[in-house]
Amino acid sequence: MVGDMESGGATPKRRLTLAMIAEKLDLSTATVSLALRNSPLVAEETRKRVHALAEELGYIYNRSAASLRTARTNIVGLVVHDILNPYFAELVAAVENELGRHGQTVILYNHGDDPLRQRVFLETLLQYRADGMILCPAAGSKPSDVSRIVDAGLPTVLIARELPDLPEVPVIRGDDRTGLRCAVEHLIGLGHRRIALVGGQQDSSSASERRAGYEDALTAAGIPVDPELEFPAASSRRAGRDICGHVLVARPTAIVCFNDLLAFGMMMELKRRGIEPGRDISLTGYDDIDEASVWSPGLTSVWNGQQEVGRLAALTLLDVVAGHPPRDMRVLVEPELRIRETTCPPKA
């Protein structure tokens, strides 16, 4: 049997190495390694030559071996709470685009606002020696949930939400308080005084900031803040449909939604009841995802800078991973109110 294997049986193929590719292309192994990681330090033409030969030879880059040599894995965790929300889809695309240009691979995780699931994944990133993490903290997270991971050596940037008492962790997010205030001021300018606020979990910074913006605008206009016009709800179309009837009982002339998904759900239920947004009642969303402009009627919404948040978060993390101080520890992307057809003066 042994003799057959030696004379006519299959023999193992010789393992391809970086050195083989380097020799064929007359390059150093370091240049080949950088090229396979799409490093900007290598000229684009050289990267193309290396990738073409690697593909031709069937070579697959051994990232585990490389990480042992460099103490870098070129893997970044991106952790959010609702990947079904197009806001995060747009943000994720911006992060991947920026990190991809620097040779980083993104692992996306959805914790669903469950602090325990979040903790398990953060520890997994540590175990697999990820280079860093971009995190939207789960509602109810404690500062210690993040600080213990940072202290263990995982560079971290927070997005969309922030936690108190974490001065060493950079935060990139939209200016939620200003954005919601702008939406309410627009409605007040149209003549509305009974303005309902729908959505927002009570234990997240974005919810408390937007609620504060709502109250700022009412107070500045001399309109009493009425708790009966505030309706906490999940941030989904279904939640918008389900809560619509309860909101209408309070007889608002305008409704400000915590995000666009809630607004879409409310629009569907309002129309089912024969109430036309932009004619019979005013309605605003938040985030201004791509879908907002193509609805009929077009949804008045607050652009939340998701693409800019993603880009800046990626650049900030790259700075931290490289050992450089962040350019800014707290960045608030300026929101923009985009007025469309769902807002109008109140009916007589």
Side-chain angles (χ1 to χ4, degrees):
M1 179 70 71
V2 174
D4 290 341
M5 287 291 293
E6 290 179 345
S7 59
T11 57
K13 292 182 179 180
R14 185 181 177 194
R15 183 172 176 269
L16 292 168
T17 65
L18 285 177
M20 294 176 187
I21 297 176
E23 182 180 355
K24 284 182 176 291
L25 296 176
D26 195 23
L27 298 170
S28 69
T29 54
T31 299
V32 172
S33 176
L34 287 170
L36 289 171
R37 286 184 279 138
N38 294 316
S39 169
L41 298 175
V42 179
E44 183 178 357
E45 184 59 35
T46 301
R47 292 203 304 269
K48 288 180 178 178
R49 289 172 57 213
V50 171
H51 279 281
L53 182 58
E55 185 173 349
E56 178 185 335
L57 297 177
Y59 178 82
I60 298 176
Y61 185 61
N62 189 333
R63 192 176 291 272
S64 295
S67 68
L68 291 175
R69 294 192 300 270
T70 65
R72 294 279 298 275
T73 60
N74 292 100
I75 292 174
V76 168
L78 176 53
V79 191
V80 301
H81 71 275
D82 185 10
I83 194 57
L84 296 178
N85 186 337
Y87 167 84
F88 284 106
E90 294 174 19
L91 188 153
V92 167
V95 169
E96 289 184 330
N97 181 61
E98 196 62 47
L99 290 180
R101 295 196 310 108
H102 292 81
Q104 295 281 350
T105 298
V106 176
I107 297 178
L108 178 63
Y109 185 73
N110 188 79
H111 56 58
D113 268 332
D114 183 336
L116 179 58
R117 285 180 59 185
Q118 174 181 273
R119 176 171 183 156
V120 170
F121 184 71
L122 301 196
E123 291 178 351
T124 300
L125 288 177
L126 272 176
Q127 292 163 6
Y128 282 89
R129 302 172 65 240
D131 285 351
M133 170 180 66
I134 296 174
L135 168 68
C136 176
S141 294
K142 300 180 177 63
S144 59
D145 296 338
V146 176
S147 62
R148 61 186 292 274
I149 296 297
V150 174
D151 292 343
L154 186 65
T156 300
V157 174
L158 298 184
I159 54 170
R161 297 170 175 173
E162 60 183 291
L163 297 172
D165 303 321
L166 286 174
E168 74 281 13
V169 181
V171 178
I172 317 290
R173 65 174 180 83
D175 188 344
D176 292 305
R177 186 168 188 161
T178 296
L180 210 292
R181 188 185 72 234
C182 288
V184 178
E185 286 175 346
H186 166 61
L187 294 169
I188 292 172
L190 290 172
H192 294 279
R193 294 185 64 84
R194 288 194 61 78
I195 303 170
L197 174 65
V198 179
Q201 299 196 57
Q202 302 300 318
D203 49 1
S204 75
S205 65
S206 55
S208 59
E209 286 286 314
R210 293 182 195 181
R211 191 181 313 109
Y214 167 79
E215 295 177 355
D216 287 347
L218 293 179
T219 301
I223 301 172
V225 176
D226 184 352
E228 293 187 359
L229 285 171
E230 297 187 30
F231 299 86
S235 298
S236 66
R237 287 178 173 84
R238 178 182 294 275
R241 293 196 304 268
D242 291 347
I243 204 169
C244 185
H246 300 288
V247 176
L248 292 176
V249 169
R251 301 182 65 81
T253 61
I255 302 169
V256 176
C257 292
F258 183 80
N259 73 357
D260 290 344
L261 297 185
L262 262 172
F264 295 153
M266 293 207 71
M267 285 174 72
M268 288 187 286
E269 182 61 19
L270 287 169
K271 288 188 172 189
R272 192 186 72 81
R273 294 168 178 256
I275 302 170
E276 183 66 23
R279 183 192 67 193
D280 304 316
I281 195 168
S282 284
L283 182 74
T284 69
Y286 204 102
D287 292 336
D288 194 41
I289 60 177
D290 287 343
E291 196 178 343
S293 63
V294 298
W295 266 69
S296 180
L299 177 65
T300 293
S301 186
V302 177
W303 176 74
N304 198 21
Q306 46 268 38
Q307 297 86 355
E308 187 67 0
V309 169
R311 186 184 72 84
L312 292 175
L315 291 174
T316 301
L317 183 65
L318 289 169
D319 281 344
V320 177
V321 169
H324 305 310
R327 307 170 195 199
D328 294 287
M329 291 302 295
R330 188 170 185 263
V331 177
L332 298 181
V333 175
E334 185 176 355
E336 179 184 318
L337 177 65
R338 294 179 174 173
I339 301 171
R340 300 192 180 94
E341 293 82 36
T342 57
T343 51
C344 61
K347 295 185 73 172

